């Protein structure tokens, strides 16, 4: 295997090539929250703004036509990237949260009735938790949770405890944003379909790190955000099987999703337009196409391997610290996320000290309060990797943790 | 420590690095907070870390002084608590309300150096203290 040249990858990210105060280099370990953008994505956004910006699907003039072509090209790139059979199955939405809400409420409209069941997990991000909880409350349906193993994997051996003939939806993350757990999507799709349910995947964390293969895995819907895939903010993708998109009601109305409006009723355009109400995030969607090109140019599989190596290395080195608790399963079940907590060092203090060394991590509940309740801690520190990270970042992290421990004199301090 | 003493030490320090260390040091010296006060009702919401705050009146002098006790599981927050205690110590409820705490935070550069979630937590504590003081002032005004 050839060595992954992370330094030349990093050199494509202007934000990471800066020198900060006191000569520090930014050690960016928060790509799970939002990834940085390579110069080619920034350039693409600039190109749209400077050369041919116009609203999409409206103006049949030079700029408008160019924007339409660029958007369709971006749609096509995303479709291929996800392994979808057609770009018509890719709708541009405002983001992962918006997309998951659209699926939950749009599906509930016709397909979830009182007494039906919705199956999610306790490791879901609030974006894939609360919409289903609210749908369940509105529809008098039951929200249930797939049992988990002690190390934070789904325990599919026990799925029969919660799967019933009334289960209408299973919705899970492809990869947990805290535990890093990679969920067995193909297996879950089989389970869902065998009991007449659909499988919805929150791909926010999985899409940037591993091939989604939506046809092979047979998922019904998959949603993700562009900004975690080295693309712009404000745009995400809702993928669905053709028949599922047809069966999904729109929940946002107006603009290009309309087919015909009468005084008393309306009809909708077909997918993907049906889910693209209002003016699209045009520049961002085109920028997302450029981000997909960029990922392909480096190679998703190569990025995955590199990140897994970093994860292994970071896990090994952090495990040497006394009093550290690393959450989530073993490396073979997890992706580029490492969450931990020290017995004697509060995440709040650690974050402050790491920041002083320009090591950027995230701490808190990471929008997963039910998971943190389960883990029995109010906050964790999370390190997440992207293609531009390297062993030098792990060195910086370890050094900054040592600095924090020394400054805070943790050995002599009680912390409950 | 009075707030003047605190400020004169703090402003000697050359940069946020040193000031941050200083805050952590003064946080270490906070008076012990009784374990039995660590109850849900004493928790200040809006903080990333856990913060407990108890306000009471010290009536053993000619004037009633607001007496504060607080604690947190994060050391930097304990440092901020130490600042609040210094700012509000030996003050009557009316003086608490009259204290320009925002001006103090500005002078110490806290608004600049603390992330917005930490600032929210700090303001949560201030709100709690001010609400307590204004309840006392209100009750006395209506007697
Ligand atoms: C697993 C997961 N789902 C959903 C989201 C929400 O994504 P966005 O904020 O881009 O809508 C996130 C982002 O943190 C996430 O990690």
């Amino acid at each position: 295997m050839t060595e992954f040249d992370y330094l030349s990858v990093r050199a494509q990210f202007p934000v990471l090539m800066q020198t900060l105060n006191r000569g520090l280099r930014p050690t960016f370990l928060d790509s799970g929250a939002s990834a940085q953008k390579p110069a080619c994505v920034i350039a693409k956004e600039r190109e749209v703004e400077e050369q041919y910006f116009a609203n999409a699907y409206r103006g049949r003039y030079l700029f408008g036509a160019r924007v339409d072509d660029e958007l369709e090209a971006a749609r096509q790139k995303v479709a291929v990237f996800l392994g979808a059979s057609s770009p018509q199955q890719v709708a541009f939405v405002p983001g992962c949260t918006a997309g998951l809400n659209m699926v939950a409420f749009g599906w509930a409209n016709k397909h979830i009735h009182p007494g039906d069941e919705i199956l999610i997990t306790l490791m879901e991000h609030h974006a894939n938790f609360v919409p289903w909880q609210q749908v369940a409350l509105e529809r008098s349906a039951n929200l249930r949770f797939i049992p988990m193993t002690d190390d934070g994997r789904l325990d599919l051996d026990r799925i029969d405890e919660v799967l019933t003939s009334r289960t209408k939806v299973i919705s899970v993350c492809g990869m947990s944003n805290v535990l890093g757990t990679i969920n067995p999507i193909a297996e879950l799709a089989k389970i869902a379909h065998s009991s007449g349910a659909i499988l919805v995947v929150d791909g926010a964390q999985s899409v940037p790190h591993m091939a989604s293969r939506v046809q092979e895995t047979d998922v019904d819907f998959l949603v993700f955000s562009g900004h975690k895939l080295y693309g712009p903010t404000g745009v995400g993708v809702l993928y669905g099987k053709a028949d599922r998109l047809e069966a999904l009601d729109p929940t946002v109305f107006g603009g290009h999703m309309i087919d015909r409006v009468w005084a008393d009723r309306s009809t909708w355009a077909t997918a993907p337009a049906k889910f693209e109400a209002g003016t699209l995030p045009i520049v961002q969607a085109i920028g997302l196409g450029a981000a997909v090109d960029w990922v392909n140019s480096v190679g998703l599989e190569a990025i995955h391997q590199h990140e897994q190596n970093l994860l292994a290395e970071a896990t090994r080195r952090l495990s040497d610290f006394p009093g550290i608790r690393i959450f989530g399963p073993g490396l073979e079940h997890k992706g580029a996320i490492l969450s931990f907590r020290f017995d004697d060092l509060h995440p709040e203090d650690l974050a402050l000290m790491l920041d002083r060394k320009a090591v950027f991590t995230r701490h808190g509940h990471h929008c997963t309060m039910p998971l943190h309740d389960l883990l029995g801690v109010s906050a964790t520190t999370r390190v997440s990797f992207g293609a531009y990270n390297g062993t030098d970042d792990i060195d910086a992290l370890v050094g900054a943790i040592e600095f924090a421990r020394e400054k805070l004199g943790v050995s002599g301090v009680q912390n409950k | 420590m009075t707030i003047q003493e605190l400020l004169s030490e703090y402003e000697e320090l050359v940069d946020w690095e040193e000031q941050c260390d200083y805050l952590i040091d003064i946080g270490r010296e906070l008076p012990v907070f009784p374990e039995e006060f660590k109850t849900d009702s004493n928790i200040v919401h809006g903080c990333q870390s856990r913060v407990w705050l108890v306000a009471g009146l010290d009536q053993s002098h000619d004037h009633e002084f607001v007496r504060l006790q607080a604690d947190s599981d994060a050391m930097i927050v304990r440092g901020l608590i130490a600042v609040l205690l210094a700012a509000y110590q030996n003050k009557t409820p009316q003086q608490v309300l009259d204290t320009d705490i925002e001006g103090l935070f500005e002078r110490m550069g806290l608004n600049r150096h603390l992330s917005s979630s930490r600032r929210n937590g700090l303001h949560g504590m201030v709100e709690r203290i001010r609400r307590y003081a204004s309840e006392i002032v209100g009750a006395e005004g209506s007697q």
Side-chain angles (χ1 to χ4, degrees), chain A residues 102-103 105-112 198 221 240-250 268 271 274-275:
Chain A
M102 288 162 71
V103 173
F105 286 92
W107 196 256
N109 259 355
K110 288 207 190 82
H111 310 288
I112 298 178
I198 59 165
F221 294 105
K241 283 183 187 164
D243 56 335
R244 301 303 191 194
L245 287 173
E246 206 178 309
L248 179 69
D249 280 348
W268 320 132
K274 184 165 77 164
F275 305 104

Side-chain angles (χ1 to χ4, degrees), chain B:
Chain B
M1 183 168 41
T2 67
I3 192 67
Q4 280 72 30
E5 286 164 354
L6 188 153
L7 279 174
S8 71
E9 289 180 1
Y10 187 83
E11 289 176 344
E12 287 280 296
L13 304 170
V14 296
D15 58 11
W16 168 243
E17 293 287 296
E18 291 192 359
Q19 291 171 338
C20 182
D21 290 345
Y22 177 80
L23 289 173
I24 286 167
D25 282 342
I26 61 173
R28 258 187 244 282
E29 288 155 21
L30 272 190
V32 175
F33 185 84
E35 278 300 312
E36 65 270 23
F37 287 0
K38 292 190 175 174
T39 60
D40 279 352
S41 59
N42 288 334
I43 283 197
V44 181
H45 293 282
C47 302
Q48 289 262 347
S49 53
R50 285 188 300 173
V51 176
W52 300 269
L53 187 128
V54 180
L57 267 191
D58 180 349
Q59 296 173 309
S60 60
H61 305 273
D62 312 348
H63 292 288
E64 295 179 323
F65 294 123
V66 172
R67 235 175 75 75
L68 301 172
Q69 288 174 284
D71 199 1
S72 169
D73 48 8
M75 297 216 241
I76 182 63
V77 180
R78 287 170 60 94
L80 298 172
I81 289 171
V83 173
L84 290 181
L85 295 193
Y88 288 129
Q89 74 161 358
N90 292 337
K91 288 200 166 160
T92 65
Q94 188 57 53
Q95 287 169 330
V96 164
L97 293 177
D98 293 342
T99 300
D100 177 17
I101 201 80
E102 271 306 315
L104 175 68
F105 295 160
E106 201 51 54
R107 184 166 166 191
M108 295 180 70
L110 295 182
N111 288 340
R112 209 153 15 96
H113 289 298
L114 296 181
S115 64
S116 66
S117 67
R118 286 194 196 102
R119 281 205 304 275
N120 288 343
L122 185 58
H123 289 125
M125 289 190 267
V126 170
E127 264 317 294
R128 218 220 235 170
I129 295 166
R130 290 180 56 89
R131 202 169 347 115
Y132 175 77
S134 65
E135 276 165 18
I136 305 276
V137 169
E140 286 174 350
S142 64
Q143 267 168 19

Side-chain angles (χ1 to χ4, degrees), chain A residues 6-20:
Chain A
Y6 68 83
L7 288 175
S8 67
V9 169
R10 187 183 298 158
Q12 301 173 53
F13 289 76
V15 75
L16 298 177
M17 299 310 285
Q18 303 173 84
T19 304
L20 306 174

Side-chain angles (χ1 to χ4, degrees), chain A residues 369-390:
Chain A
M369 289 182 187
L371 177 63
H372 278 74
D373 289 344
L374 185 73
L375 299 175
V377 293
S378 59
T380 51
T381 301
R382 179 183 77 184
V383 164
S384 51
F385 300 107
Y388 34 63
N389 289 121

